[in-house]
């Protein structure tokens, strides 16, 4: 089986005489914000969303703790060029303060569009995020579309939840999704320093040596608060 949803996995585990052998992959759900669309063009709003999110709770509730917690920079620990960054701790009080500083002392209303393209677990993840954000005064509306309707708009909505499949290297994903002007850059992220570090990473053959440049890429992406990746 190439891939199973968490519901299918639970069913498989319940079958008698079944032995399950699993392999890790970099498949992931990225809930990203377009950095040039209001209100996400204010980094303080994006940081507030990221700080209010509880990635561990999303993983524990929705995926039974299977897999690994995302670091909000879209590179997987199983990819050989991954640099192990320290995770950013959840901080609801700081999220509230950032919102107030950005001009939203009474909180803010935002909308997340998703399509359950890989199963209902995507919506379950979004619902946990919805509850997380409410603690910081961020009122999140979920716009759930049929999968066939999500893909035509996946790169157009200001806040969207997109399933990204595995790539052998993290730098491959970053080149597709976050380089300035890249074809699949759904967040519209554009940063010359990030592009330069990615050039350096992609120009380094040895994956171990590539980690130094990837540390810069991952740090910029995380600190610019482009996504919540549980």
């Amino acid at each position: 089986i190439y891939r199973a949803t968490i519901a299918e996995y639970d069913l498989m585990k319940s079958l008698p005489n079944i032995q399950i052998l699993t392999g890790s992959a970099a498949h992931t759900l990225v809930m990203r914000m377009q950095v040039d669309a209001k209100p996400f063009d204010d980094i303080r709003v994006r940081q507030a969303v990221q700080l209010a999110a509880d990635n561990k709770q999303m993983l524990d509730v929705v995926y039974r703790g299977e897999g690994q917690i995302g670091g909000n920079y879209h590179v997987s620990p199983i990819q050989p060029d991954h640099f192990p960054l320290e995770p950013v701790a959840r901080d609801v009080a700081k999220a509230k303060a950032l919102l107030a500083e950005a001009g939203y002392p009474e909180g803010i209303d935002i909308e997340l569009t998703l399509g359950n393209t890989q199963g209902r677990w995507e919506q379950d993840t979004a619902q946990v995020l919805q509850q997380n954000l409410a603690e910081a005064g961020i009122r999140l509306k979920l716009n759930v579309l049929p999968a066939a309707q999500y893909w035509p708009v996946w790169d157009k909505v200001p806040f969207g939840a997109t399933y990204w499949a595995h790539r052998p290297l993290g730098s491959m994903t970053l080149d597709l999704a976050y380089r300035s002007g890249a074809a699949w850059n759904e967040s519209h992220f554009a940063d010359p320093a990030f592009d330069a570090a990615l050039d350096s990473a992609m120009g380094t053959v040895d994956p171990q040596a590539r980690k130094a440049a990837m540390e810069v890429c991952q740090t910029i992406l995380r600190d610019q608060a482009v996504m919540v990746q549980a």
Side-chain angles (χ1 to χ4, degrees):
I1 297 176
Y2 167 63
R3 179 173 62 226
T5 68
I6 192 64
E8 292 162 343
Y9 183 55
D10 287 344
L11 175 61
M12 287 190 293
K13 287 191 294 185
S14 73
L15 296 173
N17 304 319
I18 290 292
Q19 181 182 15
I20 300 175
L21 307 176
T22 62
S24 296
H27 304 303
T28 191
L29 184 70
V30 174
M31 295 176 282
R32 55 84 197 144
M33 296 160 274
Q34 289 186 338
V35 299
D36 57 355
K38 290 187 177 303
F40 307 114
D41 55 347
D42 189 325
I43 189 174
R44 295 169 295 188
V45 173
R46 302 198 307 272
Q47 288 172 331
V49 170
Q50 200 176 73
L51 285 168
D54 190 333
N55 288 12
K56 185 177 187 305
Q57 186 184 37
M58 282 182 265
L59 184 67
D60 289 345
V61 170
V62 178
Y63 241 80
R64 324 285 193 268
E66 298 285 345
Q68 294 176 303
I69 298 175
N72 297 333
Y73 49 75
H74 205 163
V75 181
S76 169
I78 75 158
Q79 290 167 321
D81 53 354
H82 171 266
F83 184 88
L85 286 183
E86 284 295 318
V88 176
R90 187 178 189 233
D91 192 333
V92 175
K94 186 175 180 181
K96 288 180 178 179
L98 284 166
L99 282 180
E101 186 181 314
Y104 304 100
E106 304 303 320
I108 189 173
D109 295 279
I110 59 176
E111 180 176 282
L112 174 66
T113 300
L114 63 146
N116 287 334
T117 60
Q118 306 299 316
R120 170 65 193 234
W121 65 270
E122 294 184 14
Q123 187 173 341
D124 293 341
T125 304
Q127 287 175 331
V128 176
L129 177 67
Q130 185 180 49
Q131 295 165 13
N132 294 161
L133 299 191
E135 296 178 41
I138 303 171
R139 297 172 290 274
L140 179 65
K141 176 184 176 183
L142 302 182
N143 178 26
V144 184
L145 303 176
Q149 293 180 23
Y150 180 74
W151 287 124
V153 300
W154 74 281
D155 59 348
K156 299 176 178 63
V157 294
F159 192 15
T162 304
Y163 176 87
W164 279 81
H166 171 89
R167 268 94 187 162
L169 296 172
S171 54
M172 293 176 174
T173 305
L174 300 187
D175 190 50
L176 277 172
Y178 305 102
R179 182 184 291 280
S180 302
W184 288 2
N185 188 337
E186 56 177 339
S187 65
H188 300 174
F189 181 68
D191 186 307
F194 174 86
D195 293 344
L198 185 56
D199 286 340
S200 177
M202 298 187 76
T204 304
V205 176
D206 180 5
Q208 295 302 315
R210 191 183 297 126
K211 290 177 184 285
M214 288 296 286
E215 178 185 9
V216 178
C217 292
Q218 294 170 205
T219 302
I220 291 173
L221 203 53
R222 181 199 64 189
D223 292 352
Q224 286 296 310
V226 178
M227 74 193 79
V228 173
Q229 181 205 10

